[in-house]
Amino acid sequence: MGWLMLALIGIAAALALWLGGVARSLWTFAGAAMMLGATGYALQGRATLPGHPVASNAEPIEVDPAMVELRDSMLGRFTADGAYLTAADGMTRSGDTKSAVQWVIAGTNKYPRSIALWTGLGSALQMHDGTVSPATLLAFKHAAQLNPRHPAPPYYLGLAYIRSGDYAAARPYWARALALSPPDRSYRKEIAFQLGRLDLFLAAAERAQTPGAPQE
């Protein structure tokens, strides 16, 4: 049955080429493609297997445009190494965090001294693992070694802890990121705002755990 369907597809393709007015000199390319498909079917096809609907096993993940804008302001935009981060963002949006990590790794192989990519690798690993793993820490550590005075590695390591639910661990890294941010950079105000909100949250959590503490 499978071979019959393949033959019918071949006939239909030839008819489409003829009706479409495609030059006969180009038919050989279509024939080669059909033969390649037939070879693959002969080697791997199993026509007796029952059909079943295919569904994606990945849940889409929202990538906050404001966070992308903040990253661009800290690390630059429209750069050659930044293209890998953009591709990783696309994989993350589709829920394929493994491919996101692979994209960033490919970028670090091509641009091994890119602080943006090593910082992005730490973030991608955390999104994939769901925690701040040793590999995540190693990526952020390498990013910080490339430029110890840049605020991005400590900021995004803090964000990785936030996403992992460890808010207290994030606090010193965001404080360092703020200290490293030049006064004239637009992202400094945003980091200060986020650090302030984190301090309010940590203070409220401490009061909630202290018996008899006044609640605001």
Side-chain angles (χ1 to χ4, degrees):
M1 184 65 180
W3 287 107
L4 177 59
M5 291 299 298
L6 184 63
L8 291 175
I9 292 173
I11 294 171
L15 182 61
L17 291 171
W18 178 66
L19 292 175
V22 178
R24 288 184 178 275
S25 59
L26 299 179
W27 285 32
T28 54
F29 293 99
M34 290 294 298
M35 289 301 298
L36 183 62
T39 302
Y41 178 80
L43 293 174
Q44 298 183 346
R46 298 177 64 184
T48 58
L49 287 178
H52 62 87
V54 178
S56 172
N57 60 357
E59 291 293 332
I61 300 174
E62 181 180 358
V63 178
D64 188 352
M67 295 304 297
V68 174
E69 183 176 353
L70 177 62
R71 184 188 68 196
D72 290 345
S73 67
M74 295 179 71
L75 296 167
R77 69 181 72 195
F78 307 126
T79 58
D81 52 352
Y84 288 89
L85 296 178
T86 300
D89 288 343
M91 294 297 99
T92 301
R93 287 188 182 93
S94 68
D96 190 355
T97 56
K98 180 179 180 180
S99 292
V101 171
Q102 291 172 340
W103 266 104
V104 186
I105 289 175
T108 59
N109 290 335
K110 188 171 180 63
Y111 301 100
R113 297 195 58 79
S114 169
I115 185 175
L117 285 171
W118 282 102
T119 301
L121 179 58
S123 296
L125 286 168
Q126 187 281 321
M127 292 287 287
H128 180 61
D129 296 336
T131 186
V132 180
S133 65
T136 300
L137 289 173
L138 185 63
F140 282 120
K141 180 180 179 180
H142 188 72
Q145 289 173 342
L146 289 172
N147 189 344
R149 303 300 301 171
H150 201 290
Y155 172 78
Y156 282 99
L157 177 52
L159 183 60
Y161 277 115
I162 291 288
R163 288 171 171 167
S164 300
D166 193 346
Y167 301 95
R171 208 279 171 190
Y173 292 103
W174 276 10
R176 176 165 175 75
L178 180 61
L180 293 175
S181 299
D184 60 340
R185 296 300 175 91
S186 60
Y187 55 77
R188 179 184 174 87
K189 183 182 295 186
E190 179 63 24
I191 294 176
F193 174 73
Q194 293 184 18
L195 179 59
R197 291 182 61 185
L198 177 61
D199 283 341
L200 290 174
F201 175 83
L202 292 174
E206 184 177 0
R207 286 194 301 270
Q209 294 175 0
T210 303
Q215 302 295 317
E216 296 183 2

